[in-house]
Amino acid sequence: MHAAFDEELGRPIAIKLVRSDRMSERQQQRLLQEARSMARISSPHVVEVFDAGVHDDRVFIAMALVDGPTLDHWCRRPGRTVDEVLAMFVGAGRGLATAHRAELVHRDFKPSNVLVGPDGLARVTDFGLAVAAVRTTTSRATTRPSRAGTAAYMSPEQHAGKELDERTDQYSFCVALREALTGPAEPTKDWRAPDGRIPGRVHAALRRGLEREPGRRFPHMGPLLEQIDPRRSRRPRAVVVGLGAAILGAGLWALGGDRAPTRCEAGRAAVDAEWNDSRMASLRSDFVATGTEGADAAAERTRQRLDRWLEAWQLGWDQACAAPATDDDRRGRRLDCLDQRRRQLSAFMSRLVTPDADLVARAAAAAASLPPPAECLDAGLEGSIPPLPEHKLAEAVALRDELAQVHADDLAGRVTPGLERAQALVVRAQALAYPPLLAEAQFRLGRLHERAGDYAAARPALEDAYYLATESGQGRLAADAATMMVTVLGIRLQLPDETQPWIGHAMAAAERLADPRRHAAALVARAGVLAQRGELGPARADYQRALALQREAYGRHHPTVAATLNNLGTVAAADGDPSVAREALDEAVTALSLTYGPAHPSVAGALSNLGAVESHLGRTEDAIEHLERARRSTTSSLGPRHPTLAPVLANLGRMRLAQGEAAAARALFEQALQIRRDALGPEHPAVAYAYVHLADAQRASGEPDAAAEHYRRALAILTGSEGGQGWRAGYARGGLGFIALDWGDARAALEHFDAALAAFGNAAPVADREQFEQGRARAQQQLEDPPQPDSPGADTRMRADGSSR
């Protein structure tokens, strides 16, 4: 290699000059091939070639002079940092990417074939083995088989003499980068590790780029370079404001190469990096490593859900990108929405990297709960969200990413860290003073409070979310917040009068959107409130309508469908239709077990309800088996004080009482009472139900005075209960009627039974009304023909709860 000054170019050049008589014809052709290949590439990251040929029996290549070391020598200099090494390799990778776009495969990429100039740019050189790729029917550029290359950097397909393409160079590139960061397979004395920690995303990128099967590597250099670029975390992003739940979307970000990719190209590459064969294999191994029973099956269910979601995302992205340029505004909003969906996927995937047993169990259901990409293409996509002032963009982008992290915590069941994030997020969103972002932050906070069982704290957050979303034109978020308010007020806190306006808000918001998923969710929430009021027929009708919508939208075995089946089964049982109830609950248990695994709390709730139905059908052993399993799994997953354990304990206590095990039943009822008092306060209707249960056990144990006191406490709470809850006071009245019979006071018993039946009206289950009618008949008979007083513990099976919601 000789240096010379070219007068025409006005700068130094390098000349590779070889006597032709010292080279074979094949070597000459290779040297000229190198020149021709390099001349085809126009990139600051590939050494520029000006001329080549044969002159005076010498083969020559005239190229740009790069007065600097090779990349391997550059890396070995003291004090190099990880970021510096990564940045230099990104430059070299861009040179390779440009060659690939020119349909060339380098075949011999290694650090000694990269020069680092005084301007700090890496330039790929020595294209002597490069070959022109041939387009195949798959549209991927490939070369004919060849084993040429440097053995230490060659890909498996090169060693095997198989067909090559751009992913072959990708493998060699990753070998070189791994060597620069972690040392060669046989370290030399002068090798120096760069200063700093290697980011996890770089390790993940290297694992993928070094896959033995080319199909498991990145599809091209772009997404690989994006993942290793040290500027990735601090690169500014353009922001577009719009869309309901997805307020902000990221703009373009470079994927490598010298031609900036279009937004559509960048999006496709980014989502491919989120979920691929390598990530699937890692997911499976990470799940199995937890030692959780059924982890392999859980990984497969999760994979199937993610595959379906990504297929829908890619279809939506392609459709949005195909929109005519004349509709730029709508096209941009759709891409913003889909990009935010991708970020939610990315945040969720980051939780799957470090799973525990609970996440293994819930991962498939969580994947099924990712917001559907198809929503982003809806014709009614919100477009009235106010614009964000430019000076607030940077903070808005940061908050948008944090919202995705909170959402991921919610999906993954990480309630405590999610609450901490959400609380801090609300404070920052309030400071930003941008209502659309604050609306979603409040919604996330409210959801997580509800998940934690803190219903009183969930209420104001969800209320704020609804009104902010409504004012900001976020129709979907407004519908979600209103529907959750129905659940919190009407089912968790049991304040039906306050719930009624929220039912109207939820139904109206869902109908405006013409969204079957949200319409079904609103119907389910309303049905729950109707069931609490004892309006079982209308509740069943709502559940049936919701079930039809959900099966159409989600498929038959989706966890959302299973949850509605569970509720339908509970209401059918209370409505005196145990065979329909058992069929629905059986299907719910099966579907929930397939989604979550057999030990998850969601399965426990359905099992508890199924156990109650089995007891009414006389299947005592099956009922107890289901209830005990529900208690074990709920306690193991959520702890011994979580509110969802209370109805499981109540159902199990009633079964024990029916078997004559009054002491065991009493212990279960006392535990349920304490949980409900702690979670809901002393005046909550559910606390009154617990008093009735405990009084039933005390009466069966021969403690009528204590039982009467607890019946009276329940009566005081339920008589003053709001909006339709008063009918449940009939259980306490009926209990006092049976105690009066035990004491031989038939007149007082008759008054209590009459009051109980009047309170019930048509709201109580048929079996419970029949029980009190029988008690009334006994009281009437005693008045007409006074018998000997009945002994304490006369048969009574009152069901103040009736459900395990």
Side-chain angles (χ1 to χ4, degrees):
M1 188 78 70
H2 304 275
F5 188 88
D6 188 284
E7 295 290 345
E8 187 176 341
L9 293 171
R11 61 173 171 165
I13 64 171
I15 300 176
K16 183 182 284 189
L17 187 65
V18 183
R19 285 178 59 91
S20 59
D21 59 0
R22 294 179 183 175
M23 301 177 69
S24 67
E25 185 177 347
R26 181 176 180 183
Q27 289 172 320
Q28 290 184 35
Q29 291 302 316
R30 174 183 165 184
L31 192 59
L32 292 172
Q33 171 64 35
E34 175 185 358
R36 285 192 291 269
S37 295
M38 295 171 69
R40 289 172 57 184
I41 305 167
S42 176
S43 168
H45 294 289
V46 175
V47 175
E48 187 177 4
V49 169
F50 306 118
D51 198 7
V54 179
H55 181 72
D56 288 342
D57 241 6
R58 289 174 180 260
V59 178
F60 73 91
I61 302 177
M63 65 188 78
L65 176 67
V66 181
D67 188 15
T70 57
L71 182 55
D72 50 345
H73 283 90
W74 182 90
C75 288
R76 286 199 290 269
R77 288 182 181 175
R80 293 289 181 220
T81 66
V82 167
D83 278 1
E84 287 173 336
V85 171
L86 290 172
M88 195 60 71
F89 269 83
V90 167
R94 287 176 177 163
L96 275 181
T98 310
H100 296 159
R101 284 197 295 275
E103 297 190 1
L104 287 173
V105 180
H106 190 288
R107 292 201 301 170
D108 197 23
F109 181 90
K110 55 189 175 183
S112 60
N113 280 341
V114 179
L115 297 172
V116 181
D119 57 1
L121 289 181
R123 292 173 172 85
V124 182
T125 187
D126 199 352
F127 280 69
L129 295 181
V131 290
V134 178
R135 285 285 166 187
T136 69
T137 55
T138 64
S139 295
R140 178 173 293 281
T142 63
T143 76
R144 291 180 173 82
S146 173
R147 290 185 175 85
T150 302
Y153 298 92
M154 284 166 57
S155 65
E157 61 267 29
Q158 276 178 286
H159 282 290
K162 295 181 179 179
E163 199 168 59
L164 313 179
D165 61 29
E166 62 202 65
R167 296 169 298 185
T168 298
D169 288 344
Q170 182 186 137
Y171 184 95
S172 303
F173 177 92
C174 288
V175 172
L177 177 55
R178 182 181 62 184
E179 184 178 276
L181 295 174
T182 64
E186 297 180 8
T188 58
K189 290 183 179 180
D190 62 342
W191 180 79
R192 296 174 183 270
D195 299 329
R197 189 178 68 84
I198 302 170
R201 70 175 190 277
V202 175
H203 282 296
L206 288 173
R207 281 197 302 271
R208 185 175 180 187
L210 293 170
E211 287 281 355
R212 294 192 61 80
E213 291 294 328
R216 293 186 175 182
R217 299 173 202 155
F218 292 97
H220 53 84
M221 291 295 295
L224 167 61
L225 298 179
E226 164 64 11
Q227 198 158 333
I228 68 170
D229 193 335
R231 299 170 298 173
R232 177 183 181 187
S233 61
R234 52 184 187 271
R235 182 180 295 120
R237 287 165 291 182
V239 178
V240 180
V241 179
L243 316 180
I247 305 164
L248 304 171
L252 299 179
W253 18 272
L255 290 179
D258 300 307
R259 178 184 63 81
T262 67
R263 182 176 188 182
C264 288
E265 290 171 337
R268 292 187 196 98
V271 83
D272 183 74
E274 300 295 349
W275 183 244
N276 47 63
D277 290 342
S278 177
R279 292 294 292 270
M280 186 195 75
S282 297
L283 176 98
R284 189 180 300 276
S285 62
D286 289 341
F287 275 30
V288 171
T290 65
T292 306
E293 184 179 355
D296 192 66
E300 177 59 20
R301 290 194 298 270
T302 305
R303 181 197 68 77
Q304 291 172 0
R305 297 284 188 190
L306 289 171
D307 280 348
R308 284 197 287 271
W309 190 93
L310 278 161
E311 184 179 349
W313 188 95
Q314 289 164 340
L315 178 63
W317 188 261
D318 289 344
Q319 288 180 7
C321 287
T326 53
D327 199 10
D328 276 349
D329 183 62
R330 175 174 291 188
R331 179 176 183 269
R333 289 179 180 278
R334 287 175 171 177
L335 291 176
D336 291 343
C337 179
L338 287 163
D339 188 70
Q340 182 54 28
R341 294 288 194 264
R342 183 191 62 78
R343 289 173 183 277
Q344 290 170 328
L345 169 72
S346 180
F348 175 59
M349 294 293 292
S350 72
R351 301 305 186 275
L352 297 181
V353 173
T354 55
D356 54 18
D358 180 61
L359 183 51
V360 168
R362 74 167 60 246
S369 299
L370 284 165
E375 286 185 346
C376 296
L377 303 178
D378 284 353
L381 193 65
E382 296 116 321
S384 59
I385 296 174
L388 180 67
E390 188 172 346
H391 69 278
K392 295 183 177 182
L393 287 179
E395 175 66 359
V397 169
L399 292 182
R400 191 76 206 107
D401 287 343
E402 189 65 12
L403 275 167
Q405 297 299 323
V406 172
H407 183 232
D409 283 334
D410 187 357
L411 287 175
R414 308 282 168 85
V415 175
T416 299
L419 269 173
E420 291 173 358
R421 282 181 187 271
Q423 287 162 342
L425 185 60
V426 166
V427 173
R428 289 174 61 190
Q430 288 169 336
L432 184 67
Y434 181 58
L437 254 175
L438 180 58
E440 190 170 356
Q442 290 281 24
F443 176 72
R444 293 293 164 203
L445 179 62
R447 264 191 61 91
L448 285 161
H449 274 312
E450 194 274 342
R451 293 280 301 278
D454 191 350
Y455 308 130
R459 178 179 179 175
L462 293 169
E463 190 169 4
D464 285 351
Y466 171 77
Y467 287 116
L468 285 166
T470 301
E471 292 166 8
S472 301
Q474 297 165 274
R476 290 181 179 134
L477 185 59
D480 293 342
T483 298
M484 183 152 281
M485 278 291 284
V486 174
T487 298
V488 168
L489 292 176
I491 298 173
R492 308 304 187 209
L493 294 174
Q494 295 187 16
L495 301 171
D497 281 349
E498 295 184 41
T499 307
Q500 197 58 39
W502 288 102
I503 292 175
H505 293 326
M507 296 300 296
E511 288 168 3
R512 278 195 300 271
L513 291 168
D515 182 335
R517 289 179 172 86
R518 286 178 170 84
H519 190 192
L523 285 168
V524 166
R526 183 173 73 178
V529 176
L530 291 170
Q532 290 284 357
R533 293 180 174 183
E535 298 178 41
L536 303 180
R540 286 179 72 173
D542 273 356
Y543 282 134
Q544 292 284 13
R545 288 176 62 200
L547 198 57
L549 289 169
Q550 289 170 342
R551 280 176 165 156
E552 182 68 26
Y554 298 110
R556 296 190 66 85
H557 296 111
H558 193 278
T560 301
V561 174
T564 301
L565 282 165
N566 177 43
N567 292 335
L568 175 61
T570 300
V571 172
D575 203 24
D577 199 346
S579 59
V580 170
R582 186 175 186 274
E583 182 180 351
L585 290 167
D586 234 351
E587 188 178 347
V589 168
T590 300
L592 290 168
S593 297
L594 288 172
T595 299
Y596 293 102
H600 195 269
S602 296
V603 181
L607 275 172
S608 177
N609 292 335
L610 181 58
V613 171
E614 297 278 25
S615 71
H616 284 288
L617 293 172
R619 304 170 183 266
T620 304
E621 291 184 4
D622 288 344
I624 290 179
E625 180 185 347
H626 290 145
L627 290 166
E628 288 288 4
R629 180 180 154 197
R631 177 167 69 159
R632 287 193 302 271
S633 63
T634 304
T635 304
S636 173
S637 299
L638 300 176
R641 312 300 302 171
H642 197 275
T644 58
L645 180 61
V648 177
L649 295 171
N651 281 339
L652 186 57
R654 286 195 293 271
M655 280 300 304
R656 295 300 184 194
L657 188 59
Q659 290 182 305
E661 300 176 22
R666 178 173 176 170
L668 291 164
F669 290 146
E670 285 174 342
Q671 186 182 351
L673 173 62
Q674 189 61 50
I675 289 172
R676 283 176 162 166
R677 266 198 309 231
D678 291 346
L680 304 170
E683 301 301 314
H684 193 278
V687 175
Y689 313 154
Y691 279 132
V692 170
H693 297 151
L694 181 57
D696 289 345
Q698 288 169 328
R699 179 172 166 263
S701 299
E703 302 176 55
D705 292 339
E709 176 60 25
H710 284 133
Y711 284 136
R712 291 189 190 101
R713 285 191 191 180
L715 186 60
I717 295 171
L718 292 169
T719 300
S721 181
E722 299 183 43
Q725 291 297 303
W727 70 269
R728 294 179 182 271
Y731 289 106
R733 281 285 194 185
L736 289 170
F738 280 113
I739 286 181
L741 279 179
D742 293 342
W743 284 339
D745 189 345
R747 191 170 300 280
L750 191 62
E751 290 175 1
H752 284 307
F753 287 130
D754 283 340
L757 291 168
F760 274 175
N762 294 320
V766 174
D768 293 350
R769 290 199 300 272
E770 289 177 350
Q771 179 186 5
F772 291 140
E773 285 167 356
Q774 291 169 5
R776 187 188 185 285
R778 286 177 55 196
Q780 185 68 43
Q781 184 179 1
Q782 283 189 22
L783 282 175
E784 296 171 0
D785 184 15
Q788 294 294 318
D790 287 343
S791 61
D795 188 27
T796 176
R797 304 286 181 267
M798 284 173 284
R799 298 186 300 146
D801 245 7
S803 70
S804 290
R805 302 192 57 78

